[in-house]
Amino acid sequence: MNTATRLGVYGLGLAVAFAGAFGAGRLADPLLPAAADGAADAGGGHAHDDTAPAPAGAPVPAGLQVAADGYRLETLAAPGAADEEGDLSFRVIGPGGDPVTGFEVAHEKRMHLIVVGRDLTGYQHLHPRMDGDGVWTVRTTLDDPGPYRMYADFVPMGGGDGLVLGTDLAVPGAYRPADPPPVSATAEVDGYEVELSGALEPGATGDLTFTVRRDGAEVTDLEPYLGAYGHLVALREDDLAYLHVHPEGAPGDGATAPGPDIAFRAEVPSAGGYRLYLDFQHGGEVRTAVFAVDADGGAAPPAEDGGAPEEHGH
Ligand SMILES: [Cu+2]
């Protein structure tokens, strides 16, 4: 299997994707190749990673917890008013009770911070800086009053798997949640039109391809951003569970073109609505294309061993 495919596999993979987005140690998960080849073994469906005991239940998607695996996210400061720049500041408390100061570089950064309104608007992908005491800070503006969700996506030094911890923020004022956008396979941002093909299917690996055009012309000189031509975050609409996926292939691998297509593989844990945020860089600027998509619950996912499909009672 080539590097390109492995990257894709790792970023999205199976349940693992939701468990730890930046799990650098999980590049070579054996699960997806089999699934991707349609070569499921005799047991049918998903055999589990042979290095880990089978989980007792469905893994908890990333980003829903403020503490996991002994690590806890602690918010220290946040902008106190809408539309006013302020410090967003936090730290990660480690298993020993002290602030963590050692983080692995993943996708060129030691910390990826995502902030989004509870209504899924106002998405920001930020890279704060850490001081010597483990306090991460970034200047930012939260445009509107209301509830926000913040995700710290990181790999503790020597800690193996990546973690995504999530917490709520609130900006005082009258909250007017945005109406959900219609499901759409196209998105426009700053004169770019991005078209999505492919589908999300719960329990199966889906191929997603984004085609970037500008003024109707295909963009074929995308620039690497954080070591890739695109970064994709998916949030489950109803609870803001977090899925960070990565493209198949990387700049300079000899196989991956700088557009117009950016290909990903993704798996989502359940049917329903997801919001996709695609970051891509062109002309020296990073832009975010936003899509509302539905993971189709109509197609039955492959059953786990011993797990009878649930009835669709209502
Ligand atoms: Cu980042």
Side-chain angles (χ1 to χ4, degrees), residues 46-108:
H46 291 178
H48 200 266
D49 188 326
D50 56 8
T51 62
V60 177
L64 294 176
Q65 298 177 294
V66 74
D69 294 353
Y71 293 87
R72 181 168 57 87
L73 176 61
E74 190 176 87
T75 307
L76 300 174
D83 205 21
E84 251 175 51
E85 191 179 54
D87 280 343
L88 181 54
S89 166
F90 63 94
R91 59 186 180 177
V92 177
I93 306 299
D98 295 322
V100 178
T101 56
F103 295 85
E104 307 275 5
V105 173
H107 306 289
E108 300 188 352

Side-chain angles (χ1 to χ4, degrees), residues 146-280:
Y148 287 78
R149 190 73 180 166
M150 162 179 128
Y151 308 88
D153 190 334
F154 61 93
V155 183
M157 188 78 77
D161 298 339
L163 272 176
V164 182
L165 301 180
T167 192
D168 291 338
L169 303 174
V171 176
Y175 176 44
R176 309 178 69 164
D179 291 331
V183 169
S184 175
T186 60
E188 291 191 12
V189 53
D190 293 348
Y192 293 82
E193 182 180 270
V194 185
E195 185 179 353
L196 167 64
S197 52
L200 292 173
E201 272 183 47
T205 302
D207 294 310
L208 299 178
T209 300
F210 296 90
T211 304
V212 183
R213 295 186 182 84
R214 187 183 196 184
D215 299 328
E218 293 183 338
V219 174
T220 55
D221 56 350
L222 291 173
E223 296 156 0
Y225 170 59
L226 302 174
Y229 288 124
H231 281 261
L232 181 64
V233 167
L235 299 179
R236 185 162 63 181
E237 290 180 358
D238 289 335
D239 64 0
L240 302 193
Y242 175 101
L243 170 61
H244 198 147
V245 291
H246 292 278
E248 295 194 69
D253 66 5
T256 305
D261 294 340
I262 313 171
F264 296 83
R265 301 182 70 205
E267 176 173 333
V268 294
S270 58
Y274 289 81
R275 202 68 51 90
L276 307 183
Y277 303 88
L278 173 72
D279 288 339
F280 64 95

Side-chain angles (χ1 to χ4, degrees), residues 109 111-113 125-127 225-226:
K109 299 289 179 181
M111 179 64 68
H112 301 262
L113 183 70
H125 180 164
L126 305 168
H127 297 112
Y225 170 59
L226 302 174

